[in-house]
């Protein structure tokens, strides 16, 4: 397979077939919390893309050069440290550069720290012994998958907001039902790529 | 032992590096904040009661500085200090207090039944007759208002909510949780209040409670300034007209119009 095919298939596989939210159920907190408006969801998705890409690059280097042979047991705690620091820097930069987005994301921005999708990608690629290129493809694909899922969700939520929903389903229940239906739809991608 | 030292060293070095980098970044991307906002915030109570109409003390301080909100909306704040911070003269807003418009405690009100050990008025309200007391409009006495009060100003005394007028900041939290809508925010200098909310007919009121408004209208007749009206078998005082002469309290056969502070 040529490099381009690998790249394409890798991204498709990570973004759609093994979608981080809808197939692996990681990062559900921001997925449900910040998906009320498409614009905010886009901002959240972009922030997650930045954090995941940067954090997997840095965690790969640290894992490869410091932890790999003898200090594997330190992986989780070191990765969490790095992700927390990255999220903090994203927060500082956003606060200065795009205050409106900073306000819209609110508490969910620092919560990217505990977004298990970010840690999941870093640990997954370390455990599968990916090369640097593979790690990057995998992480960008996963982050794009998160963006796709959260923006789709926000679009659906904007549409169902004024629908006539039974009293007991109003609010979070209908959102969770929607998420379940979306997960079933994404299940249709299973098997398309080996 | 060596493993422990390496682990500590690795984490330590990484943490210090991250700390330094974050420090540099924070300095580089510093956001200028108005020192007045922190100054105003310091004068506020910090209990986030929401009585000013904003989401919390932080939001109110921001609104005072940047959105031109009135600086005297918080009754518990130090107005002179806010005035100094903002460079304006802040007038004291007329103080208000919450009043429980019910006098029926355990000794002067009769019960329909024993309710059991419910601890929330909003649950008891769903029972027949709006709680155990015979009067369907009275205080359930289970203290939901006391539990939401951020200033610890409400106590349940003998089955009836009592408000400490000194501690009350009129935030209105109790007003919105009381299922019987018994609590009203009134001017602190209103001399007399009607301490009953029963809209039942006089005979039914008497059967349920010794201290209920029977809607006789005696108070409205003796009031010289026309401040009292009786609607739905219940006397009501218009505080803007009340002169505080006290004739209504004298005449009231059930003694439910009372001088404030001695209730």
């Amino acid at each position: 397979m040529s490099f381009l095919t690998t790249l394409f298939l890798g991204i498709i596989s990570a973004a759609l077939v093994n979608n981080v939210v809808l197939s692996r159920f990681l990062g559900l907190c921001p997925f449900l919390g910040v998906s009320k408006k498409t614009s905010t969801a886009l901002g959240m998705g972009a922030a997650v893309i930045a954090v995941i890409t940067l954090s997997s690059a840095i965690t790969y280097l640290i894992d490869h050069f410091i932890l790999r042979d003898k200090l594997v047991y330190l992986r989780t705690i070191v990765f969490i440290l790095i992700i927390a620091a990255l999220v903090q820097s994203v927060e500082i930069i956003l606060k200065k550069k795009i205050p409106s987005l900073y306000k819209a994301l609110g508490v969910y921005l620092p919560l990217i720290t505990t977004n298990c999708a970010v840690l999941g990608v870093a640990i997954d690629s370390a455990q599968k012994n990916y090369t640097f290129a593979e790690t990057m493809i995998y992480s960008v694909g996963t982050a794009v998958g998160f963006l796709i899922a959260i923006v789709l969700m926000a679009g659906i939520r904007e549409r169902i907001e004024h629908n006539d929903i039974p009293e007991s389903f109003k609010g979070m229940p209908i959102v969770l039902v929607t998420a379940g239906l979306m997960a079933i739809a994404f299940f249709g991608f299973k098997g398309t790529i080996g | 032992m060596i493993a422990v030292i390496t682990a500590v060293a690795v984490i330590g070095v990484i943490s210090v590096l991250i700390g330094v980098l974050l420090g540099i970044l924070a300095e580089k991307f510093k956001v200028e904040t108005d020192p007045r906002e922190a100054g105003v915030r310091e004068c506020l109570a910090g209990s986030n009661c929401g009585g000013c109409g904003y989401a919390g003390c932080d939001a109110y301080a921001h609104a005072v500085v940047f959105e031109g909100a009135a600086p005297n909306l918080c009754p518990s704040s130090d107005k002179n200090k806010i005035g100094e911070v903002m460079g304006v003269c802040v007038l004291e807003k007329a103080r208000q207090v919450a009043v429980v418009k019910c006098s029926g405690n355990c000794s002067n009100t009769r019960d329909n039944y024993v309710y059991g050990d419910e601890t929330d008025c909003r649950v008891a309200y769903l029972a027949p007759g709006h709680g155990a007391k015979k009067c369907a409009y009275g205080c359930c006495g289970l203290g939901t208002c006391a539990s939401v009060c951020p200033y610890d100003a409400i106590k349940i005394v003998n089955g009836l909510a009592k408000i400490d007028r000194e501690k009350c900041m009129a935030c209105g939290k109790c007003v919105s949780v009381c299922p019987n809508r018994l609590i009203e925010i009134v001017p602190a200098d209103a001399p007399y209040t009607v301490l009953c909310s029963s809209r039942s007919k006089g005979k039914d009121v008497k059967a349920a409670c010794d201290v209920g408004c029977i809607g006789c209208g005696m108070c409205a007749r003796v009031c010289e300034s026309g401040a009292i009206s009786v609607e739905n078998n219940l006397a009501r005082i218009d505080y803007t007209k009340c002169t505080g002469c006290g004739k209504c309290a004298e005449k009231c056969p059930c003694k439910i119009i009372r001088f404030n502070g001695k209730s």
Side-chain angles (χ1 to χ4, degrees):
Chain A
M1 263 195 294
S2 73
F3 177 71
L4 268 181
T5 330
T6 326
L7 182 78
F8 182 71
L9 283 184
I11 287 190
I12 293 292
S13 154
L16 297 177
V17 182
N18 295 312
N19 186 286
V20 63
V21 179
L22 297 169
S23 315
R24 288 189 288 163
F25 311 114
L26 295 174
L28 285 173
C29 167
F31 175 68
L32 298 174
V34 206
S35 53
K36 276 206 184 102
K37 268 168 53 191
T38 320
S39 52
T40 331
L42 263 174
M44 187 69 186
V48 168
I49 288 185
V51 172
I52 287 191
T53 316
L54 273 174
S55 71
S56 10
I58 297 177
T59 49
Y60 174 82
L61 293 178
I62 287 190
D63 188 61
H64 193 74
F65 289 110
I66 305 175
L67 304 179
R68 177 129 299 176
D69 298 324
K70 285 179 184 165
L71 295 169
V72 177
Y73 63 93
L74 282 179
R75 253 181 199 160
T76 313
I77 189 165
V78 170
F79 286 6
I80 288 177
L81 259 179
I82 290 165
I83 290 166
L86 271 172
V87 171
Q88 189 64 43
S89 4
V90 168
E91 197 182 343
I92 292 171
I93 295 172
L94 268 190
K95 198 175 181 183
K96 176 81 174 179
K97 296 287 176 194
I98 323 174
S100 55
L101 183 60
Y102 174 79
K103 266 203 172 154
L105 291 177
V107 70
Y108 291 100
L109 185 55
L111 276 183
I112 301 179
T113 317
T114 49
N115 185 340
C116 42
V118 183
L119 185 66
V121 171
I123 288 197
D124 220 16
S125 40
Q127 277 173 350
K128 286 180 180 161
N129 283 325
Y130 282 163
T131 63
F132 187 72
E134 280 170 341
T135 306
M136 290 325 288
I137 293 172
Y138 179 61
S139 61
V140 171
T142 308
V144 169
F146 182 83
L147 177 86
I148 292 173
I150 196 170
V151 170
L152 281 179
M153 187 61 167
I156 295 175
R157 273 180 86 169
E158 274 180 358
R159 292 203 171 198
I160 62 175
E161 186 161 348
H162 301 295
N163 282 11
D164 187 20
I165 299 166
E167 193 62 41
S168 51
F169 278 101
K170 271 186 186 150
M172 236 356 129
I174 193 73
V175 176
L176 287 168
V177 169
T178 314
L181 292 176
M182 284 171 72
I184 293 175
F186 268 72
F187 195 70
F189 288 116
K190 274 266 151 48
T192 45
I193 296 171
Chain B
M1 195 58 205
I2 289 177
V4 174
I5 294 171
T6 21
V8 170
V10 168
I11 302 279
V13 169
I14 291 179
S15 311
V16 169
L17 269 179
I18 286 174
V20 170
L21 284 177
L22 276 182
I24 295 171
L25 201 66
E27 197 53 43
K28 219 177 165 194
F29 286 91
K30 207 172 176 182
V31 180
E32 299 295 330
T33 49
D34 198 319
R36 288 181 301 170
E37 194 179 333
V40 173
R41 173 65 188 78
E42 258 174 41
C43 306
L44 304 174
S47 56
N48 294 319
C49 69
C52 53
Y54 290 88
C57 296
D58 287 329
Y60 176 55
H62 184 84
V64 167
V65 177
F66 295 106
E67 290 155 29
N72 60 356
L73 294 181
C74 178
S76 68
S77 65
D78 187 339
K79 307 289 182 314
N80 292 334
K81 262 196 190 157
I82 293 184
E84 268 173 39
V85 172
M86 293 297 293
V88 292
C89 183
V90 180
L91 296 174
E92 198 78 31
K93 194 176 173 232
R95 203 172 110 78
Q96 293 184 308
V97 289
V99 167
V100 180
K101 296 192 293 174
C102 178
S103 312
N105 56 26
C106 293
S107 31
N108 54 26
T109 310
R110 282 155 292 283
D111 284 348
N112 262 342
Y113 46 82
V114 177
Y115 195 78
D117 54 0
E118 273 312 324
T119 49
D120 195 306
C121 302
R122 288 167 292 191
V123 177
Y125 183 78
L126 299 174
H130 295 174
K133 279 177 186 164
K134 219 166 190 172
C135 172
Y137 302 95
C139 173
C140 301
L142 298 172
T144 301
C145 48
S147 64
V148 298
C149 179
Y151 299 99
D152 198 22
I154 308 183
K155 294 265 175 316
I156 302 297
V157 181
N158 197 15
L160 176 66
K162 285 264 177 231
I163 295 181
D164 184 332
R165 295 172 66 89
E166 294 306 312
K167 287 185 184 168
C168 177
M169 293 296 164
C171 68
K173 277 215 154 72
C174 49
V175 176
S176 51
V177 295
C178 179
N180 269 330
R181 298 268 170 260
L182 283 177
I183 307 180
E184 190 185 329
I185 305 284
V186 302
D189 55 1
Y192 291 92
T193 37
V194 180
L195 299 182
C196 180
S197 300
S198 173
R199 295 187 289 280
S200 302
K201 290 241 163 59
K203 193 174 169 244
D204 302 333
V205 174
K206 269 289 165 206
C209 176
D210 299 333
V211 281
C213 178
I214 51 173
C216 62
M218 201 87 90
C219 46
R221 279 197 291 281
V222 296
C223 183
E224 287 163 355
S225 52
I228 307 184
S229 55
V230 177
E231 284 164 31
N232 298 328
N233 304 312
L234 180 62
R236 188 170 178 81
I237 299 181
D238 182 346
Y239 300 111
T240 55
K241 289 183 188 163
C242 175
T243 55
C245 64
K247 287 200 174 131
C248 48
E250 239 169 73
K251 275 283 173 192
C252 178
C254 306
K255 297 292 164 221
I256 50 138
I257 301 184
R258 269 184 255 169
F259 188 59
N260 280 324
K262 290 183 187 169
S263 56

